[in-house]
Amino acid sequence: MIKFFSKEDKNGGVLERLRHGLSKTRSSISGRLDRLFLGKKEITGDLLEEVEEILFTSDIGVVTTQELINLLQDKVARKELKDPEKLKAVLREYMLSFLRIDSPAQSFPLNGQPLVIMVVGVNGVGKTTSIGKIASRYKSEGKSVMLVAADTFRAAAVEQLIIWGDRAGAEVIKQSTGSDPSAVVFDGLTAAVSRVFDVVIIDTAGRLHTKTNLMQELQKINRVIGQKIQGAPHEIWLVLDATTGQNSISQAEVFNNILGLTGIILTKLDGTAKGGIVVGISHQLGIPIRYIGIGEKIDDLRPFDPDDFVKAIFE
Amino acid sequence: MFESLSEKFSSIFKKITGRGILSDANIQEALKEVRLALLEADVNYKVVKNVVEEIRQRAVGKEVLQSLTPGQQLIKIVNEELTRLMGDVKQGLQLLGRTPHALMLVGLQGSGKTTTAAKLAVHLQKQGRHPYLVPADIYRPAAIEQLIKLAKQINVPFYPTNPSQKPEDICMDSLSKAGKEGSDVLIIDTAGRLHIDEAMMDELVRIRKKINPAEILLVADAMTGQDAVNVAKHFNETLDISGVILSKMEGDARGGAALSIKAVTEKPIKFIGVGEKIDSLEPFYPDRMASQILGMGDVLSLIEKAQAELDESEALKLQKKLRKNEFDLEDFKGQLQQIKKIGSFEQILGMLPGIGQLKKLKQMNHDDKELVKVEAIINSMTTQERRSYKIINGSRRRRIALGSGTTVQDVNRLLKNFAQTKKMMERFSKKGYSGMGALFG
């Protein structure tokens, strides 16, 4: 369905696919920068202002854009950067440093208990779809996977997860719509422990981060998980939509304050949205991007690689 | 950054003493702030450029009105300009011609089409129409089930879509079915798709050709960033949409996408979605949106709500009491109840300029329970105590705390607050009465 990622480029590797997906981003950031620098001999205030504008329009965010510009300005002031041509490489290096978050990948609990991953986010960002894809990844690594349908609010959310569970070959634990999500989670974890599942992924209902009571509900789910399995959830991932603008920062901040996020999944990078927002979020909050979503197929989820990501933007 | 747009303006214009005309030089700095404000609100950068230029042209040479400061004058111009760009007046659905009319909802994945379809059905029902829901998303897992569940919830007939059917066939068939069942408006929930996915966009064109819909509405997420222009442009060029519905407006997004979409499509925004509840679809008011994008809060909505809910005679009675300095705890309780009628604390705070942006306040638990507590405390007082709070001594406080299920500290805090409020009011009434009328009128 998504023409960007037809079968032909399947062998092209992650970088190739990502480049494809980001071709729009590339042409917008890098292409414009190239045009900008053409024939310019020195880095002037005007030039920096234009760079600022370009970063703004790539959804990189006001704070991060200003931070990047300040870094560039400092370098220019210290006479370490004179050549407009080199500005791009320097900018790229800064963006890369913003995206490199030192965080260990999740390891499986040693005590034989399941790895518990809770997936959260606002409405319509692609939580359930991402969960289907993550489940499929773990299945392909030979792990047994259980999905817990804790979105008991939205109509047919449970059915949607069941279909993804079928596709991925993962078991789905569910109760009827309207039941207490914490109870569903508790039951799911009980079953997962007694039947020795390797991975449990919890699908929570989409909620706007501004709804205090719904955020408290998430805290409760979080607590219940910890009571059932000590140290769990081992991972709490926030799903962000690449199409979303500055509000992503606010979402990440609030979810992080309330739950302590361990990772971000950035979805819908197969459109024309630039996804530049992650540079700011990763940097400002110190949360690593774990995966990116680049299509609707079950294998359209890729581990996030800062090098590939920035390379794909700048090459 | 945003909440202080008007503050920034006033500090910029402080240098200009007296009144006069707005000159190019003295609005330049202010316009930089406008530009930043719009960019932070996710208005597309090219759109921002145009808007700022238009504002500049309109503002230069304008005389500053007697009643306003230069800062206020510019805000007024900015606000008017944004409102004008947003479409000036609100626009409803245009359901003309033969029934049943068809209404097509299109948009990206996750923009909120299915929920909006059900909300529109409720809206049309209220207008005396007979809506019919058509699930035409055969791709997303359980999308059909989702709409059917919603249809059953709101008691609206629906087309029993089979996922093996082609979307255009579903729409054709439902058109005749709906007519036979006595429905007059079809709401077609199409699958979410990327605007650059030609095959999927073609499908929408085919549906459109077959059913000739009265309205094609683009459902767009209010949180959309710079990409909003690309999405809206593609959908509009492919389908010639008739309008836009902005979803997820209840969050804290500034909604700059509204301005971008309007600018590239020149199609009206008809509704906004403000919650997950089935009746949370509201008409779009361009002036209010303009204020929100500027970070000035939805003051108009608040005023309107306050006017609708506050009892005028109550207010008059209160004014009299205030004048005689007879304001007591009973009146205080009455005030609280009036406030509660306007909405929850969260809602009211959200509508106030600036406050919506103060993140700290937002995460604070401005709990409505606090109001309930205060009411309980007052309810546990005797009439005498309510009239003259000064007689409430230690043992009375203990009794009140017990009776209201609160603590003595809670009671103390309330009495202290009340005493302060009363003192403030005394000062007001001594000063003369000009300011208070506006507060309670």
Short mmCIF file of all heavy atoms in Angstrom, two decimals, chain B residues 29 44 53 123-124 127 131 147 162 172 187 200 204 206 224 227 233 235-236 238 287 322 326 401 408 410 417 420 424:
data_model
loop_
_atom_site.label_atom_id
_atom_site.label_comp_id
_atom_site.label_asym_id
_atom_site.label_seq_id
_atom_site.Cartn_x
_atom_site.Cartn_y
_atom_site.Cartn_z
N GLU B 29 9.94 45.56 15.81
CA GLU B 29 10.34 44.66 16.89
C GLU B 29 9.17 43.79 17.35
O GLU B 29 9.31 42.61 17.61
CB GLU B 29 10.86 45.50 18.06
CG GLU B 29 11.97 44.84 18.82
CD GLU B 29 12.46 45.75 19.93
OE1 GLU B 29 12.49 46.98 19.71
OE2 GLU B 29 12.76 45.24 21.01
N ASN B 44 2.58 27.30 9.49
CA ASN B 44 3.62 27.05 8.51
C ASN B 44 4.45 28.31 8.25
O ASN B 44 3.92 29.42 8.17
CB ASN B 44 3.03 26.53 7.21
CG ASN B 44 4.10 26.24 6.18
OD1 ASN B 44 4.44 27.09 5.37
ND2 ASN B 44 4.66 25.05 6.24
N GLU B 53 3.66 40.04 6.99
CA GLU B 53 3.74 41.14 6.05
C GLU B 53 2.40 41.89 5.94
O GLU B 53 2.35 43.11 5.94
CB GLU B 53 4.18 40.62 4.67
CG GLU B 53 4.29 41.67 3.57
CD GLU B 53 5.14 42.88 3.97
OE1 GLU B 53 6.03 42.71 4.83
OE2 GLU B 53 4.90 43.98 3.44
N HIS B 123 -24.55 15.41 15.85
CA HIS B 123 -24.81 16.81 15.50
C HIS B 123 -25.99 16.93 14.54
O HIS B 123 -26.89 17.76 14.72
CB HIS B 123 -23.54 17.40 14.89
CG HIS B 123 -23.72 18.76 14.28
ND1 HIS B 123 -23.71 19.91 15.03
CD2 HIS B 123 -23.94 19.14 13.00
CE1 HIS B 123 -23.91 20.94 14.23
NE2 HIS B 123 -24.04 20.52 13.00
N LEU B 124 -26.01 16.08 13.52
CA LEU B 124 -27.09 16.13 12.53
C LEU B 124 -28.42 15.69 13.12
O LEU B 124 -29.47 16.25 12.81
CB LEU B 124 -26.73 15.25 11.32
CG LEU B 124 -25.62 15.84 10.42
CD1 LEU B 124 -25.05 14.78 9.50
CD2 LEU B 124 -26.17 17.01 9.61
N GLN B 127 -30.14 18.36 14.72
CA GLN B 127 -30.73 19.31 13.79
C GLN B 127 -31.95 18.73 13.09
O GLN B 127 -32.48 19.31 12.15
CB GLN B 127 -29.70 19.70 12.73
CG GLN B 127 -28.54 20.46 13.32
CD GLN B 127 -27.70 21.09 12.25
OE1 GLN B 127 -27.57 20.54 11.16
NE2 GLN B 127 -27.13 22.24 12.55
N PRO B 131 -29.22 10.79 10.03
CA PRO B 131 -27.92 10.36 9.49
C PRO B 131 -27.81 8.84 9.34
O PRO B 131 -28.59 8.09 9.94
CB PRO B 131 -26.93 10.86 10.55
CG PRO B 131 -27.71 10.95 11.80
CD PRO B 131 -29.13 11.24 11.43
N LEU B 147 -16.66 1.86 14.03
CA LEU B 147 -17.76 2.75 13.64
C LEU B 147 -19.11 2.11 13.94
O LEU B 147 -20.04 2.79 14.39
CB LEU B 147 -17.67 3.12 12.15
CG LEU B 147 -18.64 4.23 11.74
CD1 LEU B 147 -18.31 5.53 12.43
CD2 LEU B 147 -18.66 4.44 10.24
N ASN B 162 -18.78 -5.20 4.57
CA ASN B 162 -17.99 -6.41 4.57
C ASN B 162 -16.60 -6.04 4.04
O ASN B 162 -16.50 -5.44 2.98
CB ASN B 162 -18.67 -7.43 3.65
CG ASN B 162 -17.94 -8.75 3.61
OD1 ASN B 162 -16.71 -8.80 3.64
ND2 ASN B 162 -18.71 -9.81 3.56
N MET B 172 -21.70 3.29 -2.96
CA MET B 172 -22.82 3.25 -3.90
C MET B 172 -24.00 2.52 -3.27
O MET B 172 -25.14 3.00 -3.30
CB MET B 172 -22.42 2.52 -5.20
CG MET B 172 -21.78 3.41 -6.24
SD MET B 172 -22.75 4.86 -6.60
CE MET B 172 -23.96 4.16 -7.74
N ILE B 187 -22.91 9.60 6.19
CA ILE B 187 -21.58 10.05 6.63
C ILE B 187 -20.62 8.91 6.32
O ILE B 187 -20.72 7.82 6.88
CB ILE B 187 -21.58 10.37 8.13
CG1 ILE B 187 -22.63 11.44 8.43
CG2 ILE B 187 -20.20 10.84 8.57
CD1 ILE B 187 -22.92 11.64 9.89
N MET B 200 -4.05 5.14 -3.16
CA MET B 200 -5.10 5.35 -2.16
C MET B 200 -5.87 6.65 -2.42
O MET B 200 -7.07 6.73 -2.16
CB MET B 200 -4.49 5.37 -0.75
CG MET B 200 -4.05 4.01 -0.23
SD MET B 200 -5.44 2.89 -0.01
CE MET B 200 -6.13 3.52 1.53
N LEU B 204 -10.23 7.57 -3.38
CA LEU B 204 -11.14 8.64 -2.95
C LEU B 204 -11.77 9.34 -4.15
O LEU B 204 -12.95 9.70 -4.13
CB LEU B 204 -10.39 9.66 -2.09
CG LEU B 204 -9.91 9.18 -0.71
CD1 LEU B 204 -9.15 10.29 -0.01
CD2 LEU B 204 -11.10 8.73 0.14
N ARG B 206 -12.39 8.01 -6.99
CA ARG B 206 -13.41 7.10 -7.54
C ARG B 206 -14.71 7.19 -6.73
O ARG B 206 -15.80 7.25 -7.28
CB ARG B 206 -12.89 5.66 -7.56
CG ARG B 206 -11.83 5.39 -8.63
CD ARG B 206 -11.71 3.90 -8.92
NE ARG B 206 -11.36 3.12 -7.74
CZ ARG B 206 -10.11 2.94 -7.29
NH1 ARG B 206 -9.09 3.51 -7.93
NH2 ARG B 206 -9.87 2.21 -6.23
N THR B 224 -1.07 19.08 14.33
CA THR B 224 -0.18 18.92 13.17
C THR B 224 0.84 20.04 13.09
O THR B 224 0.53 21.20 13.35
CB THR B 224 -1.01 18.88 11.87
OG1 THR B 224 -2.09 17.99 12.04
CG2 THR B 224 -0.16 18.42 10.69
N ASP B 227 3.92 20.16 8.45
CA ASP B 227 3.47 19.34 7.34
C ASP B 227 2.00 19.57 6.98
O ASP B 227 1.54 19.12 5.93
CB ASP B 227 3.69 17.86 7.70
CG ASP B 227 3.77 16.97 6.47
OD1 ASP B 227 4.38 17.42 5.48
OD2 ASP B 227 3.23 15.87 6.49
N LYS B 233 -2.89 20.60 1.11
CA LYS B 233 -2.76 20.95 -0.31
C LYS B 233 -3.05 19.73 -1.19
O LYS B 233 -3.83 19.81 -2.14
CB LYS B 233 -1.33 21.44 -0.55
CG LYS B 233 -1.18 22.27 -1.78
CD LYS B 233 0.17 22.98 -1.79
CE LYS B 233 0.47 23.39 -3.20
NZ LYS B 233 1.77 22.95 -3.67
N PHE B 235 -4.69 16.90 -0.47
CA PHE B 235 -6.09 16.46 -0.39
C PHE B 235 -7.00 17.42 -1.16
O PHE B 235 -7.91 16.99 -1.85
CB PHE B 235 -6.54 16.35 1.08
CG PHE B 235 -6.27 15.00 1.68
CD1 PHE B 235 -5.16 14.79 2.48
CD2 PHE B 235 -7.13 13.93 1.45
CE1 PHE B 235 -4.90 13.54 3.03
CE2 PHE B 235 -6.88 12.68 1.99
CZ PHE B 235 -5.76 12.48 2.78
N ASN B 236 -6.72 18.69 -1.03
CA ASN B 236 -7.57 19.66 -1.72
C ASN B 236 -7.40 19.60 -3.23
O ASN B 236 -8.38 19.65 -3.98
CB ASN B 236 -7.26 21.07 -1.21
CG ASN B 236 -8.29 22.08 -1.67
OD1 ASN B 236 -9.50 21.77 -1.68
ND2 ASN B 236 -7.85 23.24 -2.08
N THR B 238 -6.46 17.04 -4.98
CA THR B 238 -6.98 15.79 -5.51
C THR B 238 -8.50 15.74 -5.47
O THR B 238 -9.13 15.21 -6.38
CB THR B 238 -6.42 14.60 -4.70
OG1 THR B 238 -5.02 14.79 -4.52
CG2 THR B 238 -6.65 13.29 -5.41
N ASP B 287 -12.65 33.90 15.21
CA ASP B 287 -12.09 34.88 16.14
C ASP B 287 -11.48 34.21 17.36
O ASP B 287 -10.43 34.60 17.86
CB ASP B 287 -13.15 35.91 16.55
CG ASP B 287 -14.49 35.26 16.88
OD1 ASP B 287 -14.64 34.05 16.63
OD2 ASP B 287 -15.37 35.96 17.40
N LEU B 322 -22.39 44.03 48.59
CA LEU B 322 -21.00 44.47 48.60
C LEU B 322 -20.91 45.93 48.98
O LEU B 322 -20.05 46.35 49.75
CB LEU B 322 -20.38 44.27 47.22
CG LEU B 322 -19.96 42.84 46.90
CD1 LEU B 322 -19.58 42.73 45.43
CD2 LEU B 322 -18.82 42.40 47.78
N GLU B 326 -21.81 43.82 53.32
CA GLU B 326 -22.50 42.74 54.04
C GLU B 326 -22.17 41.37 53.48
O GLU B 326 -22.83 40.38 53.78
CB GLU B 326 -24.02 42.96 53.93
CG GLU B 326 -24.55 43.97 54.92
CD GLU B 326 -26.00 44.29 54.66
OE1 GLU B 326 -26.58 43.69 53.72
OE2 GLU B 326 -26.53 45.14 55.37
N ALA B 401 -15.09 21.24 61.24
CA ALA B 401 -14.18 20.31 60.57
C ALA B 401 -14.75 18.90 60.63
O ALA B 401 -14.77 18.17 59.63
CB ALA B 401 -12.81 20.38 61.23
N VAL B 408 -9.23 20.90 60.85
CA VAL B 408 -9.30 22.26 61.38
C VAL B 408 -8.45 23.19 60.52
O VAL B 408 -8.80 24.34 60.28
CB VAL B 408 -8.83 22.28 62.86
CG1 VAL B 408 -8.80 23.70 63.40
CG2 VAL B 408 -9.76 21.43 63.71
N ASP B 410 -8.03 23.01 57.35
CA ASP B 410 -8.83 23.38 56.17
C ASP B 410 -9.77 24.54 56.50
O ASP B 410 -9.90 25.49 55.73
CB ASP B 410 -9.65 22.18 55.67
CG ASP B 410 -8.77 21.13 55.00
OD1 ASP B 410 -7.77 21.52 54.39
OD2 ASP B 410 -9.12 19.93 55.09
N ASN B 417 -8.76 33.00 54.10
CA ASN B 417 -8.98 33.47 52.73
C ASN B 417 -10.19 34.39 52.65
O ASN B 417 -10.16 35.42 51.97
CB ASN B 417 -9.20 32.29 51.77
CG ASN B 417 -7.91 31.59 51.45
OD1 ASN B 417 -6.83 32.14 51.68
ND2 ASN B 417 -8.00 30.37 50.97
N GLN B 420 -9.50 37.79 54.04
CA GLN B 420 -8.71 38.59 53.11
C GLN B 420 -9.56 39.13 51.97
O GLN B 420 -9.47 40.29 51.60
CB GLN B 420 -7.57 37.74 52.54
CG GLN B 420 -6.35 37.73 53.43
CD GLN B 420 -5.31 36.74 52.95
OE1 GLN B 420 -5.54 36.01 51.98
NE2 GLN B 420 -4.18 36.70 53.64
N MET B 424 -10.34 43.02 51.03
CA MET B 424 -10.09 43.57 49.70
C MET B 424 -11.34 44.25 49.17
O MET B 424 -11.28 45.33 48.58
CB MET B 424 -9.70 42.43 48.76
CG MET B 424 -8.64 42.80 47.77
SD MET B 424 -8.05 41.33 46.93
CE MET B 424 -9.51 40.79 46.08
#
